[in-house]
Amino acid sequence: MKKLNSILFHRSVLVGLSLLVQIGVLAVMIISFSEHMVGFYWACIALSVVSTLWILSRQMEPAYKIAWLLLILPMPVFGGIFYLLMGGGGVSQRTLRRMQDIGRRSRETLAGDFRSDSLMFVGEDPAGQARYLEQYACCPVYPNTWAEYFPLGDLAFARMLEELEKADKYIFLEYFIIQEGELWNSILEVLRRKADQGVEVRLLYDDFGCMYTLPQDYDKQLEAMGIQCRVFGRLVPVMSIRQNNRDHRKLMIIDGKAGFTGGMNLADEYINRRERCGHWKDSAILLRGEAVWSMTVMFLSMWDHCCGWDEDFDLFRPARPERFEGAGWVQPYTDTPLDHEKVSQTVYLNMISRARRSVYLTTPYLIVDEATNTALCNAAKSGVDVRIITPHIPDKRYVFEVTRAHYAPLLEAGVKIYEYTPGFIHAKNFVVDGKYATVGTVNLDYRSLFLHFEDGVWLYDAPCIRDIQRDFLETMEKSEEITIRRYRHLNLLVQLYRTILRIFAPLM
């Protein structure tokens, strides 16, 4: 009975029920008013017409437009109102102003580190990519940074504990999912001890990501331990597009000298201490040196946004960062949905367009937009060896079906697709020509590319790129190649189901 009550009264159930009630009340109101007030009926129709014209005129993904139009046009009375609540709005002007102020301060803090033009001696391709990230994401490129790649979360976990033990000034953590277990409890023990020693410990986690994994008052529990904690995007039971923009970043920063990012969250499945979808393969990257300062500014920007603070970021800048010769070029970058600049998508497209020999990528969700699909297909048609690894055992069945629905056009163009048969692959990595790579949090789906706060690390000529490529090839050996033949003989109902999923994928 106690377990049943905990399920029935879980906040996810309460939020879901509240939203259903709101939709029901809205539907009853619209039907009632429409039957008795001709003016209201035609006002709803006009709103749907205006919404349609607004969608067609906006600069947004074509697939996103089509999905919304297919919802609005068959239901002109309901469609416009639903779009106004869930698709037509945006963040408040106050939030936009705050984010713009933070972006301005980040640029002022990091502008002195901009040095993309110094990459010109090795070629316009790497210099152009670095220049884009400096100018449009305020993220400098650094030469004096050592990058270490971890092909499994299991390996990264041990190194995280080792680096956390070295902290003597501050520890900053920002994660989408945190769940109590061996991984988080081990980290929390270090955080508590360090906080007692006077180290400033800050934690930022996403409320939606932790809805099923942490109690609602967990931030207060951490504050009682001496750990500063903030929750990003508190869920409220109100229909609003503002709940779409989640903090999907994963950052662990120690004294501005060492910084981790990658696909792994702080839960036991990411280190295979709890089996959820077979073997869980993830990746992470550790930076040491100058580039960690850029990651530190990313965290402080988001922290100040959540707290309403106005800190002097330079107080956290390391006095003498380590220097590393022959470490290549390293550029941490962040992407925000509020500036209308598609940073993550542009990074991926630039890498694909610059490929001469090979494009190797791993992603848990292959729900590609039209531009990325076209870029991958064109690269393969031009003779570039394009290979993609996706999971074989899904974490979400319907998302897995959407992923498979995107296979056929890529396979027909000559892209090779493999499914990781031991389980679920959660890594989000690109390797191009063995010279460029990116490791980060950005999935190949609409939410990551256009709606979430994300981060990654772009690398050029860094020694760890060989490790990333080697990991891809070794993972491919454990994967099953998918052929176009099986898709030409699929049951018609399955084909129809996947087609419908693909059409509405941008709204999922």
Side-chain angles (χ1 to χ4, degrees):
M1 191 66 183
K2 185 177 179 181
K3 185 175 181 180
L4 179 62
N5 285 336
S6 67
I7 294 173
L8 289 176
F9 292 99
H10 191 274
R11 62 183 177 130
S12 63
V13 176
L14 297 177
V15 169
L17 289 174
S18 175
L19 294 176
L20 286 175
V21 169
Q22 290 175 63
I23 293 172
V25 170
L26 182 63
V28 170
M29 288 175 60
I30 292 173
I31 292 171
S32 300
F33 275 100
S34 298
E35 288 178 349
H36 298 93
M37 296 177 62
V38 176
F40 180 80
Y41 174 83
W42 285 108
C44 290
I45 297 292
L47 180 60
S48 292
V49 172
V50 171
S51 298
T52 300
L53 294 174
W54 174 254
I55 291 169
L56 292 173
S57 66
R58 289 188 68 190
Q59 291 185 346
M60 62 172 68
E61 291 302 304
Y64 193 75
K65 291 184 178 183
I66 292 170
W68 269 114
L69 292 176
L70 287 175
L71 283 177
I72 293 173
L73 295 178
M75 301 180 294
V77 178
F78 297 92
I81 294 176
F82 188 65
Y83 177 74
L84 187 66
L85 290 170
M86 296 299 297
V91 297
S92 66
Q93 289 300 313
R94 178 174 175 270
T95 299
L96 282 175
R97 284 195 299 270
R98 282 177 57 193
M99 289 301 295
Q100 288 169 355
D101 288 342
I102 291 170
R104 174 184 52 78
R105 291 183 58 234
S106 297
R107 176 178 289 275
E108 291 172 353
T109 303
L110 294 169
D113 293 0
F114 288 5
R115 61 191 83 178
S116 58
D117 288 341
S118 62
L119 265 167
M120 287 298 295
F121 78 96
V122 295
E124 175 55 36
D125 283 354
Q129 176 74 292
R131 191 182 304 117
Y132 167 77
L133 286 174
E134 286 187 345
Q135 295 302 317
Y136 290 91
C138 305
C139 297
V141 63
Y142 296 89
N144 298 307
T145 301
W146 183 258
E148 182 177 355
Y149 173 74
F150 300 93
L152 285 174
D154 317 45
L155 302 173
F157 173 46
R159 192 59 182 277
M160 286 176 171
L161 292 177
E162 180 184 332
E163 294 295 330
L164 286 169
E165 292 287 0
K166 299 177 184 177
D168 60 18
K169 291 184 179 178
Y170 59 83
I171 297 172
F172 297 156
L173 296 95
E174 181 179 342
Y175 281 88
F176 182 60
I177 295 173
I178 297 174
Q179 184 174 22
E180 293 183 327
E182 181 179 342
L183 188 156
W184 173 240
N185 293 344
S186 299
I187 290 176
L188 181 58
E189 177 58 34
V190 180
L191 298 182
R192 292 177 62 177
R193 184 159 28 85
K194 289 294 181 179
D196 290 341
Q197 295 170 4
V199 174
E200 184 170 1
V201 181
R202 299 184 185 181
L203 171 65
L204 180 63
Y205 65 83
D206 186 89
D207 198 34
F208 181 83
C210 297
M211 180 167 58
Y212 296 101
T213 61
L214 294 178
Q216 191 168 2
D217 64 344
Y218 195 68
D219 56 324
K220 295 181 176 60
Q221 296 181 33
L222 293 179
E223 293 278 356
M225 301 176 192
I227 298 170
Q228 299 180 57
C229 184
R230 297 294 184 274
V231 182
F232 179 90
R234 288 273 190 194
L235 287 172
V236 291
V238 177
M239 290 190 295
S240 170
I241 190 176
R242 297 177 190 181
Q243 301 195 52
N244 276 331
N245 303 132
R246 309 313 312 177
D247 184 3
H248 195 245
R249 305 196 306 190
K250 291 95 178 171
L251 293 170
M252 178 182 290
I253 301 158
I254 299 99
D255 293 341
K257 298 177 180 179
F260 290 88
T261 191
M264 64 179 293
N265 286 293
L266 303 183
D268 280 357
E269 63 262 34
Y270 294 87
I271 57 171
N272 290 292
R273 300 298 195 274
R274 178 170 76 94
E275 185 172 328
R276 183 179 160 201
C277 311
H279 183 263
W280 192 289
K281 177 166 174 52
D282 216 323
S283 64
I285 192 166
L286 164 63
L287 304 185
R288 296 192 63 87
E290 291 182 347
V292 182
W293 172 235
S294 182
M295 299 173 77
T296 307
V297 173
M298 290 180 200
F299 174 86
L300 291 170
S301 298
M302 186 65 83
W303 181 270
D304 281 15
H305 169 65
C306 292
C307 299
W309 292 5
D310 187 14
E311 295 181 286
D312 182 357
F313 292 172
D314 283 324
L315 293 175
F316 300 91
R317 187 191 287 267
R320 287 182 294 276
E322 297 177 77
R323 299 186 66 83
F324 299 90
E325 300 299 328
W329 297 82
V330 178
Q331 191 167 22
Y333 61 91
T334 185
D335 193 0
T336 166
L338 304 184
D339 62 1
H340 305 296
E341 182 63 37
K342 303 168 186 176
V343 173
S344 299
Q345 182 195 42
T346 303
V347 169
Y348 287 167
L349 292 177
N350 283 346
M351 293 181 72
I352 296 167
S353 67
R354 286 167 167 77
R356 300 295 180 267
R357 299 189 306 275
S358 61
V359 175
Y360 299 157
L361 68 96
T362 58
T363 181
Y365 315 119
L366 186 65
I367 308 173
V368 288
D369 61 285
E370 189 61 31
T372 306
N373 180 81
T374 300
L376 290 168
C377 289
N378 287 345
K381 290 175 181 178
S382 302
V384 176
D385 180 16
V386 182
R387 307 183 194 183
I388 304 172
I389 302 178
T390 64
H392 185 71
I393 300 177
D395 66 334
K396 305 177 187 71
R397 188 71 207 184
Y398 74 94
V399 177
F400 186 54
E401 289 300 320
V402 181
T403 289
R404 285 183 160 178
H406 285 77
Y407 283 177
L410 295 166
L411 292 169
E412 289 172 352
V415 175
K416 297 176 183 177
I417 299 176
Y418 302 82
E419 290 183 355
Y420 179 64
T421 51
F424 185 71
I425 188 163
H426 192 252
K428 310 100 165 41
N429 302 337
F430 263 71
V431 187
V432 172
D433 294 344
K435 297 192 301 182
Y436 309 92
T438 184
V439 177
T441 68
V442 189
N443 296 314
L444 273 176
D445 64 14
Y446 288 85
R447 289 196 166 274
S448 268
L449 292 173
F450 309 120
L451 294 177
H452 289 168
F453 293 86
E454 303 280 358
D455 78 274
V457 177
W458 178 78
L459 305 140
Y460 171 70
D461 202 31
C464 73
I465 294 174
R466 292 192 297 269
D467 299 327
I468 303 171
Q469 180 160 304
R470 185 187 308 115
D471 177 42
F472 179 93
L473 295 173
E474 290 175 354
T475 304
M476 192 183 71
E477 293 300 317
K478 303 173 185 175
S479 305
E480 174 189 2
E481 184 171 3
I482 307 300
T483 63
I484 190 62
R485 182 179 300 176
R486 72 165 65 179
Y487 286 90
R488 288 174 177 160
H489 297 88
L490 275 178
N491 182 289
L492 287 177
L493 289 177
V494 174
Q495 292 185 46
L496 177 62
Y497 173 60
R498 289 182 177 176
T499 299
I500 293 171
L501 285 176
R502 185 172 178 179
I503 290 171
F504 291 104
L507 305 183
M508 293 180 181

